[in-house]
Each structure stands twice: as structure tokens, then as C-alpha cells.
Amino acid sequence: MSVSVIEQAKIQAQVLVPLVKALQAELGEARANALVRKALGDLYRGFGEEFWRARNNTKNESDLGKAVSSAFGTYARDDALAYDVIEQTQDSFAFDVTRCAYAEFYKALGAPELGFLLVCTADFAIAEGFGPDIKLTRTQTIMQGADHCNFRYRRDAGGSQ
């Protein structure tokens, strides 16, 4: 039986929350957060690369909507997220998260700002791992107090420069 991503996040929080708080006390919040973002960014970018490579090798798939929908389903497993799909095409996947168990968990811990740092910032690194032509835009999150998160994935027709 595999452990869902929400359960992994809860387990990881037992170590990461006190570690990040200690780093913030020692290095200052801005420096500690930058260090955590970089370390986790590299890890999550690798997850994105692995997922994209596996998806394209097994399904010979370049359909962004199907690929991101599949990846997102992993994070939504075990009722972790409720969301509404706004658009799904070969070159886009747009959705709004309307309920987030990750945010509920970190709010209950009294550390939603660490939830944003440890969970929400991963979204952009994972998207980077999908390739230089895939762009994620998100302007608000439940973790930061909004009523929904607005994810917009698009394939940039121009590709990388």
C-alpha cells in the first residue's frame, strides 16, 4: 500500500516544521526560507522531470492537459483536494482548488506560512520539471488565506530561449 501525498506531507511536517523554525531563528526568516526553497525546489523539479519523462515514455504523450491532470490527481488522492477544472486542452490545464487538506493541516498546526513554503512553492518547481515550454501561473492560494487556489498551466508556443 502506498502512502498518499497528503499523508507524506503530514509525516514530513513533523521534522520539517521544527527544522525550518530553527533555521529561521538562526539565519533569519528570509535567508532560511530562501535556503529551504532552493533545497526543496531542486527535489521537486526532479519529481516533475521524472513524472514527465515516465508519462511521455509510457504513453508517448505530449498532451499537457492529460499529463497535468494525471499528476495533479496524485496530490488530490485521499480527498486531499477538491477542485474544479476550468479548461483542459492539449496545451493547457486550468483549475481552481476549492478545498485543501494541506492548508487545513498547516492551519491546525498554527503554521500556514510554513505550509506555503513547504507545500505550495513546490508547484512551480514541479512545473519547471515538466520542461521549459510549460508555464504555471498561480496568483492566490488557500494556504495564504484566499478562498481558492487558481492554477493555470500553459504550453508556451515559443518554447525556451
Side-chain angles (χ1 to χ4, degrees):
M1 177 169 80
S2 67
V3 178
S4 66
V5 177
I6 184 66
E7 289 305 315
Q8 289 176 36
K10 289 177 179 180
I11 293 165
Q12 292 165 350
Q14 293 176 38
V15 173
L16 291 176
V17 168
L19 177 62
V20 172
K21 285 182 177 182
L23 286 170
Q24 289 174 336
E26 186 69 27
L27 303 173
E29 188 174 330
R31 188 165 172 223
N33 290 359
L35 181 64
V36 169
R37 269 192 298 279
K38 180 178 180 349
L40 294 179
D42 292 345
L43 176 72
Y44 288 123
R45 194 171 305 100
F47 289 164
E49 290 168 357
E50 288 176 29
F51 174 82
W52 196 258
R53 190 171 35 255
R55 175 88 184 172
N56 287 328
N57 286 344
T58 60
K59 302 200 185 261
N60 199 16
E61 180 98 42
S62 65
D63 186 314
L64 177 64
K66 285 182 183 176
V68 176
S69 175
S70 174
F72 188 72
T74 302
Y75 294 92
R77 194 175 119 205
D78 287 355
D79 199 33
L81 302 167
Y83 60 98
D84 298 321
V85 175
I86 308 300
E87 175 184 42
Q88 182 173 345
T89 70
Q90 181 152 345
D91 293 318
S92 67
F93 187 61
F95 60 96
D96 290 341
V97 172
T98 56
R99 189 191 60 74
C100 176
Y102 301 91
E104 293 162 3
F105 171 73
Y106 274 94
K107 184 177 180 182
L109 283 180
E113 72 286 350
L114 293 184
F116 181 80
L117 176 66
L118 297 171
V119 177
C120 301
T121 59
D123 299 325
F124 288 94
I126 291 169
E128 287 174 13
F130 291 165
D133 61 332
I134 307 302
K135 303 297 177 215
L136 168 61
T137 303
R138 187 191 64 216
T139 61
Q140 62 185 37
T141 65
I142 294 170
M143 195 80 76
Q144 293 179 300
D147 66 345
H148 70 281
C149 308
N150 58 345
F151 288 81
R152 306 296 184 261
Y153 289 86
R154 294 220 175 272
R155 184 183 319 276
D156 179 12
S160 63
Q161 262 96 67

